[in-house]
Every structure is written in C-alpha cells, then in structure tokens.
Amino acid sequence: MSKNMMSKSKTSVSRRGFLRNAVKGSAAAAAAACTTVVAAPPEANALQRPPKPLPPEAVGLLYDSTLCIGCKACVTACKEVNHMPPDVGPAQQGWNAGGGDKPIYDSPVELSARTLNVIKAYSHGTGATKDAAENGFAFIKRQCLHCADPSCVSVCPVSAMTKDARTGIVNHDPSACIGCRYCVLSCPFGVPKYDYNDAFGEIKKCQLCKQQLAKNELPGCADVCPTGATLFGRTEDLKAEAKRRTALKVGEHAHYPRGDIAGKVGGPRDGHEKLVEAAYQPHIYGEKELGGTQCLAVSAVPFDKLNLPTNVPEKGYPTLSEGIQHTLYAGMIAPATVFAGLAYLAHRNTKNHTDE
Amino acid sequence: MSSQAHEHQPLGGRVLTLPFLICAALVAIAGVILFQRYTQGLGAASNLNDGYPWGIWVAIDVVIGSAFGCAGYVIALLCYILNRGEYHPLVRPAVLASLFGYGLAGLAVLVDLGRYWNFYHMMLPWYAQPNSVMLEVGLCVATYTLVLVVEFAPAFLERFGIEGLRAKLNRVLWVFIALGVLLPTMHQSSLGTMMVIVGHKLSPLWQSQMLPVFFLLTAILMGFAIVVWESVMASLNFRRPMETPVLSKLAGLMLVVASLFVVLRFVDLIVRGQIGQIFGGPQSGWFVVEMVLMISGLALLIPKANRNRSRALFLSASLLLAAGILYRLNVYLIGFTPAVGPWHYFPSVKEIMVTVGVFALEIALYLLFVKKLPVMHAVHPEHG
Ligand code: SF4
Ligand code: SF4
Ligand code: SF4
C-alpha cells in the first residue's frame, strides 16, 4: 500500500463515517420504498397506468368453435389474399416435397412467418364426439387478437407495430422494423412470428386484412367461412353476439349470421339456422383477457384445452411495464434531477483529482 | 502533484502471446459463423425460434455482458461521486473493461437483430416509440458507450502526447463522469423492466415489479465483483502486487449489496405470495442454485479477516459473479416459457461459438490495450 494512499485514508475518516451513515440510510429508504411497491395490492399499485379502452370503431372477428367444421378454407383464403407462401412442417416434408423445394400442399401446423392464420384441433380419448372435452374433439382458430392494450405495440422501439386509433387494427410496418423480435417475445398470445431462414427475415402477423377492408371487402377468413364460424364485425356487436350464444341452451334453434355481422362489409349474406348441440362455455375468450381483445372466441370446450392462455390478468401487461417506465421517466424530471446532483458532485470531486 | 502525470503506465511486453492467439482464433471461428448468419438468416447459425425469439445472444452477450461492463460504473460512482480517492488506481482498468463490455454488447445486438440494416431507426426521433423500454435501453447504452470512449480518452491522449486536448478534456470530464453514473443506473434497471411485460410467461420466482431494482442491484454487485476479479487476475498474470487493501473495502460493499439483494428477493416472494414456489415449483432448482451461489459468496465475506485474503476475495467475487449471471439468465431464458405451444430452446454450438468469440474479442482487446496504453496504475518499486 502506498504512503499516498495511507494518508488519504486517514484524512477521510470523518467523511467515511458520514458516508457509512448515508449508505445505511439510503439502503433503508430504498428497502422501505421497495416494500411499499410490492406490498400494495395490484389495483392500487402506484406503478400502474390505466388500461386502454377499445377504439371507437374497433373491428374484429368472432370465432365460434362449435360452428367450425375444420375445413381450413380460412387458412387457404388467408394465404391467398395476403400472398403468403405455402408452409410445410418437418413431419410433412417426406411426402410433400414437390419439385425441388417447391412444396405442392400447404400444411401448416402452427402460426409462422408463412402462416397468419391456422386451424388447430383438440382431441381426447376416442375423439368420437365433436365439441366434447371427454372423448371428443374441437377446433380453434389462431390469429392475432388485436388487443385493446397490445404488448407488441408497447414494446416496439421504432413504432413498427402500431394500433390504428380508429379501427384498433394492429399493423406492422416492415420498413421501420429492426427485427429485434421483442414483439414476438412479449405477445401474451404467441402471435407475431419471424422468418429465421431468411437473411432478410420479416415479422409477420394477421393485420385483419386491412387491405381488403379498405376496398369494403371482408377479411379472407371471414369471407370464405361456410358456417359463419369466423364472423367479422364491430367488436361491440360481436361481443353482444357472443353473449347471446353463450346463453343458448342445448336443443335450442339459433340463427347464425355469416360474413359481416352488420351485413355491410362485403354485402349482405344469408345466415343459417342450427340446433345447439353442445353447451357453450360461459367464458367469452378475449372479453376480459389482458385488457380485452378485438377478436373473440366462444367454445363448448374449455379454452385451456384449446391451448390458449387462461388465468391471465384482466389488465394488459403494458399497464405494469409502462407504469414503471412512466413513473421513473415522466418528463425526464427524475433523471434530470439525478444528473444535476451527480454533475455537482463530479465537478467538485474531480477538482481534487487534478489528473483525471 | 506532478508525479501524477506518470501515475499510469503501459505494461509493455509481447502482444502475440498464447492467450492472445487463442482469443484471435476464437474470434475467427465466430467470424465464419457470422458469415453464415448474414447470408442464410438467423436460423442457419442459431436455434432461435418463435417460442424463444431471444437466446444467448441477448441473454448472455447483451444482458450479462453489459453487467460485466459495470466495473467502470461502480468505480466512477465510488471515486468521483462519493469522492473516495483510494479507488483511483482502479479507474482506468475498470473503464477499459466497461468500454469493451458495452462496445461488444452493442456489436452483439447487431448480430441478433433480424433487420440490422434498420438499426439506426432507434436514434431517429420520428421512429421513436416512447413507451418502449427497449428504446430507452438502446439509447442509454449507445450514449453510455460514447461516454466510456470519452472517459477512456485521457489514457489515449496521454500515450500519444496530445496534452493540449487532454487538458481541455479534463476540464469538462465531470459532465461525462456524471453521465457515466446516471446512464447505467437507468438502463441497467430498465433491463429488468424489459421482462415485466412478458407477464405470466416468466415464472413467478422471477416475475415481479421489483425486476428493475434487482437488475440494478446485480449490476452494482457484478461491477464490484468484476473489479476484484480482474484486479486479482492482473496481479497474478502480470506479476503485480495484489491491490488487497483497496479490494477489501470493495468487499465490504459487495457484502452490503448482496445481502440487500437476498433480503429483498425473499421479501418480494413473500409479499407476492409465491414463496411456496421455491419448493418444487417449475424451475425451482435454478432458484435454489442462484441463492446458494449468492449466499455462499456473501457469507465468505462476513468474517472481516477474509476480506483481506486475496484467495477468499477471489472466490467470493467468483461466486457472486456466478450468482448474478445465473439470476439474469434465469430471468431472460430459464424462467421463461412461451405463451402457446411446445417450444424448445438450447443454444446451438454455432450460437455458443459466437458468444465465445465476442468474449474472446473483449479479452484480446483488453490485453492489447493494457500492454500498449497507460491503463494500469504504475507500481513504484520504492512503495512496492
Ligand atoms: S395478440 Fe399479440 S400480436 Fe396481436 S395485438 Fe395482441 S399482443 Fe399484438
Ligand atoms: S421486431 Fe420489429 S415490430 Fe417487433 S418489436 Fe422489434 S422492431 Fe418492433
Ligand atoms: S383477418 Fe385476414 S390476415 Fe387475419 S386471419 Fe383472417 S384472413 Fe388472415
């Protein structure tokens, strides 16, 4: 140890005492602050921003699993209207290689950078009865739910994911995107996908066929659905329709519209009458999940069986993360104050160190 | 004090030593793999997938690598903000380590970004999305890397005798020093906030509104640990006297920070009603390992005598560093489960080799710089 150092440490004895107390004091204060944050009930948590309401003209889809016959017409239509390439899972490669690397049969099993919409099947035991959880089977449609408070929009650093202020459609702009895949990581429903096998990969997800809607045409999936299992409309109308359906009793006759629930987009269509054969779950998926979504689903089989996240909070996660962020960085006042303090100390203290 | 002009000196010695050449070879291997990544896409080099869009290139190279880079942050904090002159000899090596830690974290981001040619959109105000925690982290890290360049500049200017500029820089250095403490405080805590939004996908053992606090604490802790670690390693490898008296004071601070982390971690679990998760919840084993590393690292420092033993110091710093690494890995990878569907991720050999290459580059540059530039505190034989 150098003499220089020795003398320095002697002169700073009283300062050290002060510092020790300061460190102890601030540690205690920090601990107290932390405990109040974690101890507060989630609703009253000061670090939360209010949830976002649905936009005035929010549109979406209502998917009724009991009406879906698993024909996958929507999967094909979605590919067509969005110009998406065929997708061949590893299990299909053997019989579906086609000529060279051009597959002949589109066989997606999951959402991917090539598939914005997919129908998946649930089966249990003998799989004999449709819409039964026991020894039965059921379908589920997977696509972007167009959340009221979307995580993907909240995380995107470069505004490549945006939510339309009027229609609430969650859009993606590849020309802005840096490909960080934070949207992929953050989406509570596992929706946006990235193309890992392309040197210039893009993020892909359903954008509710905004290009079709601009022409007053229906989104591909709702357009071709033969049973009305995928129904387009204003989210408020769809919610009312979902409520009507979940209140239906087995054996009742019910009317099921097709295309656009209001009969405007894509022109009016005939609906159909059908006997309710399986009891609907009372749960409307997307009504409350994570702040609500513009696309909803009803089913006779519990949703966790259909591999959808259940037991999630009724507020979107951006209310928590943006809450922290806004508390710490509101108007940059806190960082500016801290900077002023640091700058004062650094200015004073570097004077003592002539060399640095 | 006129003698201060020669306070630091280059270590000198051969540059092309065996460790340096090994590092260079590892960097070359990573280069070949990166060629594949840029010509054939991320999938050609990594096991990244849509369930695990972030792998070790984010979790290790950026999130853990930048914590390695916190040496400069904690030493600047002690030295210039708390005015503890005795830490002065540690400043330059710490700032250099940080410069490489952060510079290469930035490089690793470019490896991982799927649309890297757009990366500059992060700096353009008309693309900015102010709610994005990542935007804040990105801007902070980029600015901090520049600040580190400025903070390290005196060594450079001294070496090449550009005294005029050096004197001018010295007069405004306090601004950069203040920024150099503010920015890491902001972005290191935000690295924790970044995972708050994944919600239920992160195991309740780690998911908490306290993530920013825990990330700040591990950043400080790992900053201290890396200073101790690096100082002991430098003493052994370059046959320099141990800096034990200074290090033992750091050890006291490590003890405080590590204890605070452990206590808050348990308070947080109890308050959130998740304490039961420790026993047999999914991934609870990883929590136990994390805590055992942390507690044994701090326990080693409780006897005061240990803080003066370089062996004990080194062992404790290694344990605490490992604990910090594992905590961050748990939050970013191990404790994470994708929302829908069965997905698996384990880094590919190529992916690991790129990470190894990034760290090898860091070590190679560090060796080069301490030999050629006045980074290390001069050892005067009369005091030695
Ligand atoms: S479902 Fe996912 S991708 Fe779609 S809006 Fe919500 S967060 Fe975004
Ligand atoms: S991948 Fe693109 S769209 Fe997704 S968060 Fe990153 S920049 Fe935004
Ligand atoms: S709305 Fe359009 S993009 Fe979305 S699932 Fe339907 S067809 Fe596909």
Side-chain angles (χ1 to χ4, degrees):
Chain A
M1 189 175 184
S2 73
K3 280 178 200 149
N4 187 2
M5 217 176 272
M6 291 278 258
S7 62
K8 227 175 218 168
S9 48
K10 254 180 222 141
T11 55
S12 57
V13 167
S14 63
R15 200 192 290 146
R16 180 171 314 151
F18 164 74
L19 265 174
R20 192 173 295 139
N21 289 335
V23 167
K24 271 187 202 150
S26 45
C34 295
T35 28
T36 38
V37 168
V38 286
E43 316 82 59
N45 195 322
L47 289 185
Q48 226 174 55
R49 72 138 166 78
K52 291 192 172 160
L54 277 181
E57 290 167 54
V59 286
L61 303 166
L62 170 61
Y63 173 76
D64 187 332
S65 177
T66 69
L67 296 179
C68 182
I69 52 172
C71 69
K72 297 198 200 172
C74 58
V75 180
T76 309
C78 177
K79 291 248 160 150
E80 249 163 49
V81 297
N82 292 296
H83 313 291
M84 299 297 286
D87 195 6
V88 182
Q92 286 82 35
Q93 231 119 43
W95 54 268
N96 193 16
D101 46 38
K102 270 220 158 46
I104 43 177
Y105 192 81
D106 187 31
S107 54
V109 290
E110 178 54 277
L111 295 178
S112 75
R114 298 165 156 246
T115 301
L116 312 180
N117 170 32
V118 73
I119 295 290
K120 298 189 14 167
Y122 158 79
S123 77
H124 175 270
T126 59
T129 324
K130 185 167 190 302
D131 297 317
E134 294 282 317
N135 288 326
F137 69 99
F139 299 107
I140 188 71
K141 181 180 192 287
R142 298 282 294 122
Q143 98 275 324
C144 173
L145 281 78
H146 298 273
C147 304
D149 204 343
S151 298
C152 60
V153 172
S154 170
V155 299
C156 181
V158 291
S159 315
M161 279 292 178
T162 49
K163 187 169 176 71
D164 190 280
R166 196 176 52 86
T167 64
I169 293 176
V170 176
N171 297 296
H172 173 69
D173 174 8
S175 71
C177 174
I178 57 172
C180 65
R181 311 185 299 288
Y182 197 4
C183 52
V184 181
L185 185 90
S186 73
C187 172
F189 305 104
V191 170
K193 305 288 175 191
Y194 173 79
D195 196 344
Y196 298 85
N197 296 317
D198 182 342
F200 305 101
E202 269 183 36
I203 297 285
K204 295 279 172 149
K205 73 165 201 58
C206 153
Q207 309 190 74
L208 214 62
C209 284
K210 55 180 181 184
Q211 78 285 10
Q212 303 297 102
L213 292 173
K215 299 184 282 188
N216 202 40
E217 281 173 29
L218 279 170
C221 54
D223 189 21
V224 298
C225 182
T227 63
T230 297
L231 184 66
F232 172 81
R234 283 180 60 233
T235 299
E236 288 307 331
D237 298 344
L238 296 177
K239 212 179 273 176
E241 175 69 6
K243 290 220 169 93
R244 180 184 74 97
R245 291 190 194 180
T246 49
L248 290 172
K249 300 272 170 312
V250 176
E252 258 181 272
H253 269 282
H255 178 78
Y256 291 101
R258 290 197 309 125
D260 172 17
I261 192 171
K264 288 192 192 123
V265 181
R269 301 188 179 196
D270 291 335
H272 60 107
E273 297 281 325
K274 189 183 159 293
L275 199 68
V276 179
E277 282 162 42
Y280 281 98
Q281 294 284 321
H283 182 179
I284 300 170
Y285 196 89
E287 187 189 9
K288 301 228 171 79
E289 273 80 10
L290 296 152
T293 62
Q294 294 185 192
C295 295
L296 308 165
V298 291
S299 162
V301 167
F303 288 101
D304 55 341
K305 301 244 187 294
L306 301 175
N307 198 14
L308 290 180
T310 49
N311 301 328
V312 290
E314 295 193 358
K315 280 178 185 161
Y317 294 123
T319 59
L320 298 173
S321 62
E322 290 185 17
I324 295 177
Q325 198 71 350
H326 293 175
T327 310
L328 295 177
Y329 297 109
M332 291 303 279
I333 294 169
T337 317
V338 175
F339 177 74
L342 292 173
Y344 166 74
L345 289 171
H347 185 56
R348 193 193 65 187
N349 297 339
T350 40
K351 270 197 216 142
N352 307 339
H353 312 248
T354 46
D355 189 48
E356 285 301 302
Chain B
M1 282 186 269
S2 58
S3 71
Q4 281 208 341
H6 300 288
E7 210 181 337
H8 300 88
Q9 67 189 30
L11 290 177
R14 267 191 325 130
V15 168
L16 296 181
T17 54
L18 188 63
F20 186 86
L21 291 174
I22 293 174
C23 286
L26 291 171
V27 173
I29 294 173
V32 174
I33 297 167
L34 287 182
F35 179 76
Q36 263 187 322
R37 177 254 170 275
Y38 282 108
T39 50
Q40 295 163 48
L42 280 170
S46 72
N47 283 346
L48 292 170
N49 57 57
D50 281 320
Y52 292 91
W54 289 0
I56 58 168
W57 289 346
V58 171
I60 297 184
D61 303 16
V62 180
V63 177
I64 293 169
S66 74
F68 281 12
C70 281
Y73 163 54
V74 294
I75 295 301
L77 180 71
L78 289 175
C79 202
Y80 297 116
I81 304 301
L82 302 179
N83 201 21
R84 310 301 299 270
E86 65 265 36
Y87 297 111
H88 207 229
L90 301 177
V91 168
R92 275 195 189 171
V95 166
L96 184 63
S98 296
L99 181 56
F100 290 138
Y102 271 92
L104 292 171
L107 195 87
V109 167
L110 285 183
V111 170
D112 186 76
L113 282 187
R115 299 173 70 77
Y116 50 89
W117 60 92
N118 281 341
F119 85 94
Y120 64 93
H121 290 175
M122 291 271 273
M123 334 261 163
L124 301 180
W126 50 93
Y127 283 113
Q129 202 280 102
N131 291 323
S132 170
V133 185
M134 180 185 266
L135 179 71
E136 194 245 320
V137 172
L139 291 180
C140 260
V141 168
T143 318
Y144 183 53
T145 310
L146 292 179
V147 166
L148 283 168
V149 171
V150 175
E151 282 186 331
F152 188 68
F156 217 79
L157 299 173
E158 191 178 305
R159 166 69 180 76
F160 296 102
I162 314 172
E163 288 298 325
L165 189 58
R166 185 164 164 250
K168 271 195 206 118
L169 182 60
N170 273 342
R171 278 199 292 279
V172 292
L173 207 54
W174 57 275
V175 177
F176 293 92
I177 287 167
L179 275 178
V181 174
L182 174 71
L183 294 172
T185 310
M186 287 167 67
H187 65 241
Q188 283 296 334
S189 59
S190 293
L191 281 176
T193 315
M194 281 209 358
M195 290 302 279
V196 169
I197 203 160
V198 307
H200 63 283
K201 289 182 279 179
L202 181 56
S203 151
L205 285 167
W206 293 281
Q207 183 58 278
S208 160
Q209 290 260 77
M210 290 282 286
L211 275 170
V213 177
F214 294 142
F215 268 68
L216 187 59
L217 287 177
T218 46
I220 294 172
L221 189 63
M222 291 168 80
F224 285 143
I226 206 85
V227 171
V228 172
W229 215 80
E230 177 203 26
S231 165
V232 174
M233 287 298 266
S235 303
L236 293 177
N237 289 327
F238 301 125
R239 298 201 175 73
R240 294 161 54 83
M242 293 279 179
E243 293 166 303
T244 316
V246 189
L247 299 186
S248 69
K249 286 189 193 137
L250 279 184
L253 293 170
M254 287 201 307
L255 177 60
V256 172
V257 179
S259 312
L260 191 63
F261 179 85
V262 172
V263 169
L264 283 179
R265 218 49 183 91
F266 280 102
V267 168
D268 176 54
L269 280 172
I270 292 166
V271 171
R272 286 190 291 111
Q274 300 291 353
I275 196 82
Q277 293 279 334
I278 299 176
F279 313 101
Q283 296 124 342
S284 57
W286 290 100
F287 173 86
V288 171
V289 178
E290 177 193 313
M291 277 298 149
V292 166
L293 286 171
M294 189 63 91
I295 293 170
S296 47
L298 77 87
L300 223 82
L301 296 176
I302 294 176
K304 251 201 149 125
N306 274 353
R307 296 180 220 165
N308 290 316
R309 293 195 184 106
S310 46
R311 262 169 209 278
L313 270 175
F314 187 73
L315 186 58
S316 154
S318 308
L319 286 168
L320 293 174
L321 205 54
I325 292 171
L326 186 58
Y327 172 73
R328 287 179 171 227
L329 204 58
N330 280 337
V331 171
Y332 269 79
L333 271 181
I334 295 170
F336 179 83
T337 314
V340 171
W343 292 96
H344 303 281
Y345 171 76
F346 191 84
S348 69
V349 174
K350 290 178 185 172
E351 220 171 331
I352 294 169
M353 288 313 291
V354 169
T355 296
V356 168
V358 167
F359 283 91
L361 184 60
E362 207 169 306
I363 295 168
L365 290 175
Y366 186 83
L367 290 176
L368 180 70
F369 273 56
V370 293
K371 285 178 182 170
K372 292 293 170 198
L373 295 178
V375 173
M376 294 301 218
H377 205 240
V379 180
H380 303 297
E382 66 268 28
H383 296 309

